[in-house]
Amino acid sequence: MKITEVRVQTFRYRSRMVRDAHGHGHPGDEHDATQSLLTLTTDDGATGNALGSLTPAALRTVNEVVLGEDPFFHERVWNHLKERQRLNLGSLPDRVLTVVDLALWDLVGRVLGQPIHRLLGATRESVPAYASTMVGDDLPGGLDTPESYARYADWCVRERGYPAFKLHTWQPPLPGAPSVRHDLQACSAVREALGPDVPLMLDPFHYYSRLEALELAKGLEELKFLWMEEPMDEHSMSSYVWLCEQTALPICGPETVEGKMFSRAEWIRAGACDMLRAGVGDVGGITPLIKIAHLAEAFGMNMEVHGGGVGNLHVLCAMGTPGLYYERGLLHPFIDYDATPAWLNSPVDPMDSNGMVHVSAAPGLGLDLNYDYIRDNSVD
Ligand code: MG
């Protein structure tokens, strides 16, 4: 079996999400947006899909590495792509490795008729979710005040059934942001609304100084938060060692720093985190993420998976080490996250009323694609 075609289809859909100057998503007016689907096809007609786009330069490299390969040698493909990143990181970022790796896992799962978590060695078929908010805004009744966060947290937990809640607070370019005081006011309002027992997490501004991050951590210790992630630039591992030494609050990371499993190993060795963190989109797919899960397991650490989506859900269902929650979002009071996207027939992360997200039993990733929609809205 050999891969004979790499195809990217781009299609249009209507979105209500707009991005601010720093790239954060917020609710906004409906507008046209695009999404892409990568499809790998073999000489005997088997296919594997993943959502994600490739630039022309990335597609050229992917073609060179992937065409003619046996899809069951996906570990070799991943390593070849990783090696090609040297001197070419601008055109071959980790998110390219992610979409190719996901499509390869989808392909082999579909050939074997098995979902990916079963191929990896399953430990469970559902995972508790936490509600993960968008960053703060100035939309009245949105995520504009500490009280608004408290009201929304109450709805997420008491009405929708989420067992845990994570705030992303106010960040630039919003006037007045960032602010340690304002962040702690929001965290305090949410704790007061939900009572002492609901697990809470904070993801604040990512460029606080050491002293600001410590002030935040001390406040969250008192509020009995489960973890804080990325309060400082993750390139300064020493700052995280410094922070971990001075707070009892669990620090979860690294999330966005480069280096795949290598940087995670260095963070553990340095004592720069209490819980490890990575997601398929951060490290280049399922192949490296499962290595990182095993790394955490060998050190007796939690590995809290960053971000949602099918790839992360399959890994969470195949982890022997604690991965407490599936990150569901990003959520906002003005957006119906449970609505199925136009390009799918069913959502990728259905959550029941007890806050459990169920992994698909369909072969491969289990993406329930609406091929008619994708064809009819193609912009190729
Ligand atoms: Mg984060």
Side-chain angles (χ1 to χ4, degrees), residues 133 171 189:
T133 73
Q171 304 197 23

Side-chain angles (χ1 to χ4, degrees), residues 130 132 166 168 202-204 206 227 229-230 234 255-256 277 306 327:
Y130 64 84
S132 185
K166 186 171 94 185
H168 288 93
L202 173 67
D203 186 345
H206 312 300
W227 79 63
E229 58 195 63
E230 209 182 344
E234 288 184 340
E255 178 173 296
T256 57
R277 190 153 176 87
H306 170 220
E327 180 169 14

Side-chain angles (χ1 to χ4, degrees), residues 181-237:
R181 193 177 57 86
H182 208 197
D183 287 352
L184 285 174
Q185 285 170 347
C187 293
S188 173
V190 169
R191 172 55 80 211
E192 201 171 312
L194 297 183
D197 298 328
V198 176
L200 299 177
M201 307 79 133
L202 173 67
D203 186 345
F205 180 58
H206 312 300
Y207 305 98
Y208 279 130
S209 68
R210 289 186 183 195
L211 291 177
E212 288 166 330
L214 182 60
E215 185 186 347
L216 205 43
K218 290 293 176 192
L220 298 181
E221 279 178 26
E222 281 179 33
L223 294 169
K224 301 268 187 286
F225 266 51
L226 180 60
W227 79 63
M228 172 165 68
E229 58 195 63
E230 209 182 344
M232 303 176 289
D233 193 321
E234 288 184 340
H235 292 100
S236 175
M237 195 167 67

